[in-house]
Amino acid sequence: EHEGERLFAYQDSLGFWSIGVGHLLDQRKGGGITQHFSRMLLDDDIAKAQVDAHRALPWFASLDPVRQDVITMLVFNLGIGGVLQFKRMAAAIERQDWAGAAWELSNSQWKTQVGKERHDCLTSALQFGEWNKVIV
């Protein structure tokens, strides 16, 4: 009632980072969030990424669960606007050209922004529709 509510990080009157209804985030003053709250944020972010994918990508709903997870992870990390830039990957997905879709993802700037393990994991899952399959 007295604090107000802000749905983005802000600096309070003393310059300490806070969010929501005066929730202190600033580590300098012992602020932060609990693991439980972190997981709630993650669940909410994943749900938003899935909604964005369903709205913006007409082929998303027809994907198998593994490939939906790959696209959800990309939307989570890049935002839907970022994923929409992958026009050749999207075209390959629509053709169900999984090797081509994985190649397009692998040969993008995204590859340089993520570690080898995440790159290999997601491109393999996109290509084969399975987790942890080795690309040959």
Side-chain angles (χ1 to χ4, degrees):
E1 195 174 297
H2 300 285
E3 287 283 334
E5 181 177 30
R6 296 188 191 173
L7 303 180
F8 51 86
Y10 66 94
Q11 288 182 293
D12 67 13
S13 62
L14 299 176
F16 297 111
W17 287 100
S18 300
I19 195 164
V21 183
H23 180 87
L24 181 66
L25 291 174
D26 205 307
Q27 187 177 13
R28 296 173 296 169
K29 289 291 280 185
I33 61 173
T34 63
Q35 184 178 44
H36 173 74
F37 187 65
S38 174
R39 299 298 162 86
M40 286 177 25
L41 286 171
L42 175 62
D43 289 344
D44 192 59
D45 288 343
I46 290 169
K48 182 185 180 309
Q50 290 170 331
V51 166
D52 289 348
H54 276 287
R55 286 184 180 155
L57 307 169
W59 41 262
F60 181 78
S62 68
L63 298 178
D64 59 77
V66 171
R67 291 182 174 113
Q68 280 190 355
D69 285 349
V70 170
I71 300 303
T72 298
M73 289 180 200
L74 291 172
V75 173
F76 176 89
N77 284 283
L78 302 171
I80 193 63
V83 173
L84 290 173
Q85 299 302 310
F86 287 80
K87 295 181 187 326
R88 290 189 300 255
M89 180 188 75
I93 289 171
E94 288 185 282
R95 294 190 310 271
Q96 295 186 355
D97 174 7
W98 305 118
W103 189 90
E104 290 296 342
L105 179 60
S106 183
N107 287 285
S108 69
Q109 191 175 16
W110 169 82
K111 180 180 181 177
T112 65
Q113 297 168 346
V114 298
K116 179 178 175 14
E117 185 176 322
R118 186 181 323 170
H119 165 268
D120 292 350
C121 179
L122 293 184
T123 55
S124 173
L126 184 58
Q127 181 171 349
F128 297 108
E130 300 175 17
W131 292 112
N132 299 322
K133 186 160 181 154
V134 176
I135 296 178
V136 181

